[in-house]
């Protein structure tokens, strides 16, 4: 079903999920309190409504970037849903007395979500990563979720002036969910800057997801991933690109969280 503006909408619109958000404020970022099942329910509900709805994630690296980049911070706080995809955010939030149910990592949940998308007739468009990677990820998802409709893919290395042409291509393909995998903060800023031109119910930043789904980047043993060491696996697989992010970034994040907690505690005592 499509409305007058040509926005793809599904028949049964659920209750407004934006109205029932349960969130915490973690270092100035509004983060939703929900587990992976809750995330799936919310995304399914948002995909049934007229958009644009912005779905974004945060991890320790994102929090550090958000501390310095006001446009990114505002884009996160304008989103309709922000979930924790890193264990650092879950543990850091605990220091402030907030309980997040856990982290939700796209490479783990996306094949399952896509089986639901297939069942509900929700169409996807994949934008991001190097030439051919999004298409390879789409093929893999369609194998894992029979019946899934991926209505288009495009790589993520384009100039700002090419955005209009790509947005036209996306709108003509009429997806319900646009996955944007161009890394933080680039993807969030692109989503935020173009959300009014995109006639898509859900605009979702997914980072390096297509690299993992396509098999271009290995992820590491499941038991390490399950115990909060995804960052270590990523560091071992791509040390030259990621050593600064994880070795320096993780230490900076711990100090940042402890310092902000200490400073807030001091203010409380005054
Ligand atoms: N990427 C892109 N366009 C760019 C820069 C990066 O599409 O201009 C892609 C890159 O190929 C990779 C993803 O964005 O697939 C970034 O992955 P990363 O794991 O760094 O994401 P993050 O951890 O920042 O969410």
């Amino acid at each position: 079903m499509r409305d007058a503006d040509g926005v793809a909408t599904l028949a049964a619109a659920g209750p407004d999920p934006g109205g029932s958000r349960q969130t915490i404020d973690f270092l100035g970022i509004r983060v939703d309190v929900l587990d992976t099942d809750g995330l799936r329910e919310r995304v399914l509900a948002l995909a049934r409504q007229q958009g644009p709805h912005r779905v974004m994630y945060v991890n320790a690296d994102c929090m550090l970037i958000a501390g310095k980049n006001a446009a990114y911070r505002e884009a996160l706080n304008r989103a309709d849903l922000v979930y924790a995809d890193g264990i650092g955010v879950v543990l850091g939030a605990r220091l402030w007395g907030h309980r997040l149910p856990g982290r939700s990592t796209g490479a783990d949940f996306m094949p399952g979500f896509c089986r639901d998308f297939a069942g509900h007739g929700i169409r996807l468009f994949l934008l991001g990563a190097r030439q051919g990677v999004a298409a390879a990820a789409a093929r893999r998802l369609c194998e894992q979720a029979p019946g899934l409709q991926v209505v288009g893919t495009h790589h993520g290395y384009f100039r700002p002036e090419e955005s209009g042409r790509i947005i036209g291509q996306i709108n003509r393909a009429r997806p319900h969910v646009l996955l944007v995998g161009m890394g933080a903060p680039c993807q969030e800023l692109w989503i935020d800057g173009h959300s009014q031109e995109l006639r898509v119910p859900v605009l979702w930043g997914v980072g390096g997801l297509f690299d993992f789904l396509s098999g271009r980047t290995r992820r590491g043993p499941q038991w390490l991933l399950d115990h909060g060491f995804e960052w270590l696996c990523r560091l071992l697989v791509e040390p030259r690109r990621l050593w600064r992010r994880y070795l320096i970034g993780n230490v900076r994040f711990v100090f940042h969280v402890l310092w902000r907690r200490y400073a807030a505690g001091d203010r409380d005592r005054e």
Side-chain angles (χ1 to χ4, degrees):
M1 190 175 101
R2 292 165 67 72
D3 70 6
D5 291 332
V7 178
T9 53
L10 294 170
D16 172 18
S20 55
R21 275 181 86 179
Q22 195 196 339
T23 58
I24 60 163
D25 178 327
F26 179 50
L27 305 178
I29 304 296
R30 194 175 177 200
V31 182
D32 287 74
V33 181
L34 83 185
D35 58 11
T36 305
D37 284 338
L39 175 64
R40 179 181 32 234
E41 291 309 312
R42 289 277 300 284
V43 169
L44 284 172
L46 294 173
R48 292 186 172 112
Q49 301 178 5
Q50 196 176 322
H53 302 289
R54 291 164 275 200
V55 177
M56 300 177 183
Y57 64 83
V58 281
N59 52 37
D61 186 45
C62 299
M63 297 302 297
L64 288 175
I65 301 171
K68 290 184 292 195
N69 184 332
Y72 175 49
R73 195 164 57 241
E74 284 158 20
L76 287 170
N77 282 332
R78 267 196 290 270
D80 299 271
L81 200 173
V82 176
Y83 60 96
D85 108 320
I87 193 70
V89 169
V90 177
L91 297 178
R94 227 175 258 178
L95 271 178
W96 293 78
H98 299 309
R99 278 218 164 257
L100 292 172
R103 69 184 191 124
S104 300
T105 305
D108 289 326
F109 66 64
M110 197 51 85
F113 278 30
C114 282
R115 284 189 278 279
D116 285 326
F117 292 157
H120 288 83
I122 291 173
R123 300 186 290 272
L124 297 190
F125 193 110
L126 276 52
L127 170 67
R130 297 258 166 217
Q131 182 82 42
V133 175
R139 280 195 296 277
R140 189 83 193 92
L141 282 175
C142 289
E143 284 164 18
Q144 293 168 318
L148 180 70
Q149 299 178 62
V150 180
V151 292
T153 61
H154 195 288
H155 66 81
Y157 290 82
F158 53 88
R159 292 187 301 277
E161 56 270 26
E162 292 178 274
S163 288
R165 172 183 61 76
I166 294 165
I167 289 168
Q169 185 180 335
I170 294 165
N171 286 343
R172 282 191 298 279
R174 296 165 39 204
H176 298 97
V177 177
L178 171 65
L179 302 180
V180 185
M182 303 197 297
C186 176
Q187 63 204 5
E188 288 79 10
L189 295 176
W190 192 86
I191 288 172
D192 197 53
H194 296 289
S195 62
Q196 297 309 318
E197 301 152 63
L198 284 156
R199 297 201 297 274
V200 182
V202 176
L203 311 171
W204 187 351
V206 293
L209 176 68
F210 307 149
D211 295 317
F212 295 118
L213 292 178
S214 66
R216 188 177 185 271
T217 304
R218 281 177 293 124
R219 273 192 84 206
Q222 195 61 44
W223 61 271
L224 269 182
L225 305 178
D226 289 345
H227 288 84
F229 289 100
E230 176 113 34
W231 63 272
L232 181 61
C233 299
R234 292 197 66 182
L235 178 63
L236 293 174
V237 172
E238 294 183 272
R240 280 154 65 105
R241 185 170 81 90
L242 298 176
W243 71 270
R244 194 182 294 276
R245 181 190 297 186
Y246 291 122
L247 291 184
I248 297 181
N250 282 2
V251 174
R252 277 185 52 218
F253 178 71
V254 170
F255 276 105
H256 184 67
V257 173
L258 290 174
W259 169 247
R260 291 281 296 265
R261 186 71 204 105
Y262 174 75
D266 239 23
R267 269 199 309 278
D268 290 348
R269 281 190 289 274
E270 276 170 15

